[in-house]
DNA sequence: ATAGGGTTAG
């Protein structure tokens, strides 16, 4: 009698059985879903384990690191001109997908020295996309020149990545002139991808006034917007807290045009925008509304709900979301727990925060640098700084990799407490752990010195901060 | 190509 997982009718029914948020708040109402069928459905790979957790398992990370380092080492000496293609290409692949741009460029240099090397525009496109993401515009520019010098003709992909690199770097004019150049080349006419990337850049740079022109340009060229184009604009307005424009300009025109249907990303952007502004009624309204349009929530949706209820101090509802996920075999993720921990930490509810920290570990989710940032900040705010050293020792005995942001939190915590000596010790520890101090580290320490009346120390650091900034400008 | 987690100051 048990319906099969492959039975589409059953799938549809079980999805449409999703209760409204009102019902979720109601708590212990029984769901009409048998454990067996739910388990089967839960096994459909996207619910049981979050994809990012699967993809980034520790062993995989370690393997990638080793492969990258191995190949990278060889790139230092000029000798290795006959390496196996597979090793080099895989290392390059891993470095690119982890955004390790320095390694990637080194490995690419090695690749170019191989006897079997053949320039491929796709490799250039992927490198350019990565350089855009990490804002290395200068490197993107010279990589493009290298490509031309190898006699490769830029493809549509390459041009599009270049548009992204300039756009995300804040050079919208340059990005636009590349699009103009593209229009003159028969195989490289800009398409919906190209324009969507540029529109997304405008959103991130808060240059919304440029968007109508781009849309007009598209329609003049006969390029149809896609769902992704609308999503980028909707999320852009939402992030800038322009909720009126988001709902009544972007979302309405999407729904009215009817040529692209909203999807779960549209839904998540909209409810995140209302949730972030603590407009819970509208958030819930849109959650139900999107479900009526046939769009099902995913783990990201639930994370957004958890975060929003937490921010609005509606802890029972936050609990209900967790309970609901459990009942429907939606696994939470590290992000879910990090959000809850951050939420209780913010209001100095140490007890609840530590409860969820334990629960997270019991349920097999590994805390990461972000988790520990929230803990340190909470201990600092609540005046429980004495808990921090034990925590650091505990991390030391684990394989958790800490980063610059974590140490910035620690340094800030001791700085706020006026504990200058420990603060300076933490800077040393930070360097020992191979985390580079950044401009936030310096500003944090400068503030601390100022508060303690240590103007000389503050001035010295200020000079270092300025040096640091000019260095960034030169390499960026 | 788009959505969800942590860091300073102003």
């Amino acid at each position: 009698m048990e319906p099969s997982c492959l039975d589409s009718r059953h799938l549809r029914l079980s999805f449409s059985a999703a209760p409204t948020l009102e019902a979720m708040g109601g708590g212990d109402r029984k769901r009409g879903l048998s454990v067996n069928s739910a388990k089967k459905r839960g096994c459909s790979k996207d619910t049981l384990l979050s994809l990012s957790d699967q993809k980034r398992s520790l062993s995989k990370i370690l393997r990638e690191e080793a492969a990258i380092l191995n190949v990278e080492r060889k790139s230092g000496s000029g000798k290795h001109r006959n390496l196996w293609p597979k090793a080099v290409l895989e290392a390059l692949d891993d470095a690119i997908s982890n955004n390790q741009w320095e390694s990637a460029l080194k490995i690419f240099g090695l690749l170019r020295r191989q006897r079997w090397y053949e320039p491929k525009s796709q490799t250039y496109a992927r490198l350019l996309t990565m350089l855009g993401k990490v804002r290395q515009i200068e490197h993107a520019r010279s990589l493009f020149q290298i490509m031309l010098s190898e006699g490769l003709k830029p493809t549509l992909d390459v041009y599009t990545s270049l548009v992204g690199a300039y756009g995300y770097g804040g050079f919208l004019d340059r990005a636009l002139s590349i699009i103009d150049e593209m229009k003159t080349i028969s195989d490289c006419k800009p398409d919906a991808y190209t324009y969507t990337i540029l529109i997304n850049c405008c959103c991130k740079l808060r240059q919304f006034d440029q968007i109508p022109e781009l849309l007009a340009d598209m329609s003049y060229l006969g390029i149809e917007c896609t769902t992704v184009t609308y999503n980028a604009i909707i999320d852009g307005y939402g992030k800038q807290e322009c909720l009126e424009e988001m709902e009544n300009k972007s979302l309405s025109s999407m729904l009215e045009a009817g040529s692209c249907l909203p999807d779960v990303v549209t839904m998540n952007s909209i409810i995140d925008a209302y949730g972030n502004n603590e407009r819970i009624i509208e958030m819930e309204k849109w959650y139900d509304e999107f479900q009526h349009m046939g769009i099902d929530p995913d783990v990201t949706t639930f994370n957004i709900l958890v975060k929003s209820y937490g921010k609005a101090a509606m802890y029972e509802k936050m609990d209900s979301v967790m309970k609901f996920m459990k009942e429907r075999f939606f696994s939470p993720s590290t992000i879910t727990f990090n959000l809850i921990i951050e939420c209780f930490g913010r209001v100095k509810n140490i007890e609840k925060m530590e409860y969820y920290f334990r629960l997270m570990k019991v349920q097999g989710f590994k805390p990461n640098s972000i988790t520990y940032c929230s803990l340190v900040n909470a201990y600092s705010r609540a005046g429980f700084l004495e808990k921090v050293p034990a925590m650091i020792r505990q991390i030391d005995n684990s394989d958790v990799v800490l980063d610059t942001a974590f140490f910035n939190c620690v340094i800030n915590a001791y700085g706020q407490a006026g504990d200058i000596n420990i603060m300076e010790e933490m800077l040393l520890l930070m360097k020992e752990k191979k985390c580079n101090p950044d401009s936030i580290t310096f500003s944090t320490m400068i503030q601390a010195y100022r508060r303690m009346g240590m103007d000389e120390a503050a001035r010295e650091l200020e000079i270092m901060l300025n040096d640091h900034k000019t260095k960034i400008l030169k390499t960026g």
Side-chain angles (χ1 to χ4, degrees):
Chain A
M1 284 301 285
E2 202 51 64
S4 142
C5 238
L6 299 173
D7 181 340
S8 64
R9 197 177 61 95
H10 166 66
L11 274 179
R12 201 167 49 240
L13 285 177
S14 65
F15 272 116
S16 64
T20 61
L21 280 167
E22 260 334 291
M24 279 163 62
D28 24 41
R29 215 188 66 183
K30 286 266 177 294
R31 314 273 168 253
L33 210 62
S34 86
V35 171
N36 218 353
S37 65
K39 250 188 193 147
K40 275 187 200 162
R41 193 173 48 72
C43 287
S44 71
K45 60 186 176 246
D46 48 41
T47 52
L48 211 55
L49 241 185
S50 97
L51 203 62
S52 64
D53 288 347
Q54 274 179 346
K55 271 206 299 217
R56 308 272 310 145
S57 76
L58 181 67
S59 66
K60 183 157 189 287
I61 293 171
L62 291 177
R63 246 183 296 127
E64 287 173 6
E65 282 290 313
I68 292 170
L69 280 176
N70 189 25
V71 174
E72 204 190 281
R73 212 173 34 240
K74 290 173 182 158
S75 72
S77 75
K79 291 179 218 152
H80 299 88
R81 298 197 52 231
N82 242 333
L83 297 169
W84 286 103
K86 189 170 182 286
V88 182
L89 294 174
E90 272 179 8
L92 181 63
D93 226 52
D94 290 338
I96 291 177
S97 41
N98 294 323
N99 283 331
Q100 299 172 341
W101 63 274
E102 284 154 308
S103 296
L105 289 182
K106 275 189 210 158
I107 296 169
F108 182 62
L110 180 73
L111 169 65
R112 291 182 68 229
R113 291 201 299 276
Q114 299 305 307
R115 294 183 212 282
W116 44 265
Y117 171 67
E118 232 178 275
K120 287 229 167 42
S121 62
Q122 210 203 350
T123 312
Y124 279 102
R126 295 191 52 214
L127 282 166
L128 287 170
T129 305
M130 175 198 68
L131 290 171
K133 264 191 219 154
V134 296
R135 311 266 153 93
Q136 293 297 325
I137 303 111
E138 271 314 313
H139 286 298
R141 194 202 305 267
S142 53
L143 194 71
F144 186 70
Q145 289 306 321
I146 290 173
M147 193 189 95
L148 296 180
S149 77
E150 283 185 334
L152 269 187
K153 263 215 174 114
T155 58
L156 178 56
D157 282 1
V158 169
Y159 271 123
T160 301
S161 325
L162 200 60
V163 167
Y166 281 117
Y168 288 118
F171 298 95
L172 282 182
D173 289 352
R174 287 285 305 162
L176 272 170
S177 64
I178 291 166
I179 288 197
D180 282 336
E181 190 180 324
M182 290 170 77
K183 289 176 190 165
T184 66
I185 307 169
S186 63
D187 289 333
C188 296
K189 299 269 186 260
D191 61 6
Y193 269 61
T194 323
Y195 275 99
T196 300
I197 288 169
L198 196 56
I199 286 172
N200 192 33
C201 293
C202 294
C203 292
K204 295 281 167 340
L205 299 166
R206 306 178 187 211
Q207 309 226 2
F208 293 106
D209 48 331
Q210 307 247 14
I211 294 177
E213 219 172 300
L214 290 172
L215 291 175
D217 212 13
M218 283 174 83
S219 95
Y220 175 76
L221 294 169
I223 303 167
E224 294 255 18
C225 281
T226 67
T227 297
V228 180
T229 318
Y230 280 110
N231 287 350
I233 301 173
I234 287 170
D235 192 66
Y237 277 127
K239 287 279 187 304
Q240 304 300 329
E241 308 192 348
C242 308
L243 303 186
E244 168 71 21
E245 284 86 347
M246 176 187 76
E247 184 175 327
N248 295 327
K249 266 165 81 176
S250 320
L251 181 62
S252 316
S253 58
M254 179 184 201
L255 297 177
E256 278 159 24
S259 47
C260 339
L261 296 173
D263 61 10
V264 68
V265 178
T266 323
M267 172 186 196
N268 289 345
S269 290
I270 298 273
I271 66 168
D272 188 41
Y274 284 115
N276 248 331
N277 288 279
E278 294 179 42
R279 288 166 64 165
I280 299 296
I281 307 272
E282 283 133 307
M283 178 187 81
E284 294 178 340
K285 186 198 101 179
W286 279 110
Y287 178 90
D288 289 339
E289 201 84 44
F290 278 110
Q291 283 223 354
H292 285 131
M293 292 185 224
I295 297 162
D296 292 307
D298 62 8
V299 179
T300 302
T301 318
F302 295 125
N303 285 343
I304 293 167
L305 293 177
V306 161
K307 182 185 65 166
S308 305
Y309 285 136
K311 191 173 185 193
M314 297 165 79
Y315 303 122
E316 316 77 31
K317 287 230 179 184
M318 196 170 86
D319 244 26
S320 310
V321 177
M322 291 296 277
K323 211 181 272 172
F324 176 74
M325 289 174 77
K326 200 171 171 189
E327 282 164 6
R328 308 214 72 220
F329 299 95
F330 271 102
S331 174
S333 63
T334 300
I335 295 177
T336 320
F337 282 102
N338 282 352
L339 286 163
I340 300 176
I341 287 167
E342 169 69 20
C343 144
F344 284 119
R346 245 177 219 293
V347 295
K348 304 185 204 175
N349 190 338
I350 302 296
E351 206 178 309
K352 272 269 167 60
M353 177 184 81
E354 290 182 338
Y355 166 77
Y356 279 103
F357 182 55
R358 280 194 300 273
L359 188 65
M360 169 184 205
K361 292 188 284 189
V362 166
Q363 295 198 2
F365 293 94
K366 244 182 67 176
N368 58 18
S369 192
I370 296 175
T371 322
Y372 289 112
C373 273
S374 300
L375 292 180
V376 170
N377 288 334
Y379 289 140
S380 160
R381 273 189 289 260
F384 286 115
L385 222 51
E386 66 272 12
K387 293 204 179 215
V388 172
M391 200 193 77
I392 294 180
R393 273 197 299 277
Q394 195 190 318
I395 301 170
D396 244 350
N397 292 325
S398 72
D399 52 9
V400 174
V401 181
L402 295 176
D403 60 13
T404 296
F406 169 79
F407 283 105
N408 286 346
C409 292
V410 174
I411 286 171
N412 181 50
Y414 286 106
Q416 295 279 347
D419 236 322
I420 299 294
N421 287 334
I422 304 188
M423 179 182 83
E424 289 171 344
E425 264 175 47
M426 291 300 146
L427 180 70
L428 295 179
L429 181 63
M430 172 179 197
K431 289 178 179 165
E432 200 179 289
K433 299 279 177 199
K434 304 268 178 281
C435 296
N436 292 326
D438 60 7
S439 57
I440 295 179
T441 320
F442 291 127
S443 325
T444 309
M445 293 185 71
I446 290 167
Q447 289 304 315
Y449 286 133
R450 284 260 158 70
R451 266 195 306 271
M452 300 303 286
M454 300 168 69
D455 288 342
E456 188 54 35
R459 255 195 302 277
E460 265 175 42
L461 260 194
E462 214 145 50
I463 294 167
M464 283 178 69
L465 175 60
N466 287 331
D467 286 354
H468 184 86
K469 276 183 184 158
T470 43
K471 212 174 100 193
I472 295 281
L473 267 180
K474 269 184 207 151
T475 55

